[in-house]
Amino acid sequence: ANPSFQYILFTNLDDLPAIGWKKVVMPDLQKSLNVNRTITQSRWAKFLPWKHNETLESCPVIFFTDGYTRPKNSYNVSALFRQAAKSIKAHEFGLAQYPKTGATIEQWGRYIVADRKDSKSNVRRTIKWMEKQDDYILRKNKQIVYLNRHIGIDPHNPNFQRLSQYFWDEYSKEEGTFRDQLLWAYAVDKFGAKPLNLNEIAGSKDTLFEKLVENMGYNGHYYVNKKGHQVVNISAT
């Protein structure tokens, strides 16, 4: 491990192996957040890590990665992360992501349903909520969708804190899709955040992260069956 970096794993599992990573076990987070979905709980560390005091105090910049990927094992990756971190610190919202070029929010919602990542009814409820927001209608089809498996943030940036809190206040109601891309794309556009492109600030494409395993997500990332009915329990028991 590089001593100038911290590798922090948030989990609710005491027995989860985390060789080389500092494991932060938060078994009661779901209760304290007053949420029912375990998936909602998992998004807390992605969008609100600035609320974890120890992380906030020790990390000027945070790079989030989903559990199936890891920082790339290459000779110059430390320099690339530092280069990206410097750009993130200078950004108005302290935010960098991978954009999904050419996809609108509603198109991405259809992809979620087609790929069985969530039900049509859940996605539709999120779209219906956004359609009630005047700024969504005015900007419809102009919002950029982002691949939220990797995010670079400045947790001290007040603009990012306001943006992520706005997102969380609606997302944590659990009234729509548990996929975070749709609501996050709307929130980013609403705040005019314009995230940096992680590929561009790191020098080239796919230089920061690599796959750790081939299978993504629980149950192969399928949450509904071919008829659109939920087949994976995503709620607390």
Side-chain angles (χ1 to χ4, degrees):
N2 190 316
S4 63
F5 292 85
Q6 292 189 73
Y7 300 86
I8 303 173
L9 172 67
F10 285 89
T11 180
N12 61 346
L13 302 175
D14 284 304
D15 58 350
L16 183 69
I19 299 174
W21 291 68
K22 176 183 178 181
K23 186 166 65 173
V24 177
V25 181
M26 307 183 75
D28 298 323
L29 181 61
Q30 200 158 339
K31 291 181 181 179
S32 67
L33 293 176
N34 193 29
V35 297
N36 293 313
R37 296 170 174 171
T38 53
I39 289 181
T40 303
Q41 174 183 317
S42 73
R43 269 41 175 191
W44 185 87
K46 180 190 290 191
F47 294 103
L48 299 182
W50 53 271
K51 290 200 167 186
H52 185 252
N53 288 335
E54 186 178 345
T55 301
L56 184 64
E57 291 172 0
S58 60
C59 297
V61 171
I62 295 172
F63 291 92
F64 171 87
T65 175
D66 274 351
Y68 75 97
T69 69
R70 65 182 178 189
K72 204 160 191 175
N73 184 18
S74 61
Y75 75 95
N76 66 336
V77 73
S78 294
L80 295 175
F81 271 110
R82 288 193 184 92
Q83 176 179 312
K86 185 177 180 180
S87 296
I88 291 168
K89 289 290 290 183
H91 185 254
E92 181 183 4
F93 277 78
L95 178 62
Q97 296 195 248
Y98 294 120
K100 181 62 179 177
T101 306
T104 67
I105 288 177
E106 292 191 11
Q107 285 174 335
W108 198 256
R110 290 193 287 272
Y111 296 156
I112 289 172
V113 174
D115 289 345
R116 295 162 51 198
K117 304 294 177 63
D118 198 0
S119 66
K120 185 176 182 179
S121 59
N122 279 350
V123 169
R124 190 60 196 152
R125 277 192 288 270
T126 294
I127 298 294
K128 282 286 188 182
W129 178 86
M130 287 189 287
E131 287 175 341
K132 295 178 182 178
Q133 317 306 313
D134 290 341
D135 52 357
Y136 174 78
I137 299 301
L138 290 172
R139 295 277 301 162
K140 190 173 181 180
N141 298 327
K142 295 180 182 179
Q143 297 96 345
I144 298 173
V145 176
Y146 297 90
L147 302 177
N148 291 343
R149 59 178 176 262
H150 300 126
I151 303 177
I153 68 168
D154 172 3
H156 304 270
N157 187 299
N159 291 326
F160 175 79
Q161 291 179 1
R162 286 191 289 270
L163 163 61
S164 58
Q165 187 65 61
Y166 174 86
F167 162 83
W168 184 261
D169 287 346
E170 183 59 34
Y171 178 77
S172 62
K173 292 177 183 176
E174 303 183 319
E175 295 175 350
T177 179
F178 54 80
R179 307 298 299 167
D180 54 49
Q181 295 94 340
L182 306 187
L183 186 57
W184 182 249
Y186 165 72
V188 167
D189 186 78
K190 178 183 180 67
F191 278 71
K194 299 179 181 178
L196 297 168
N197 187 316
L198 267 175
N199 281 327
E200 293 177 359
I201 63 175
S204 61
K205 186 178 179 181
D206 299 329
T207 56
L208 298 178
F209 301 98
E210 62 186 4
K211 281 187 177 181
L212 181 62
V213 292
E214 286 300 319
N215 293 327
M216 298 184 294
Y218 183 71
N219 194 44
H221 236 340
Y222 294 128
Y223 296 92
V224 297
N225 61 24
K226 293 182 179 180
K227 294 183 179 180
H229 300 138
Q230 184 177 304
V231 294
V232 173
N233 180 15
I234 61 171
S235 299
T237 56

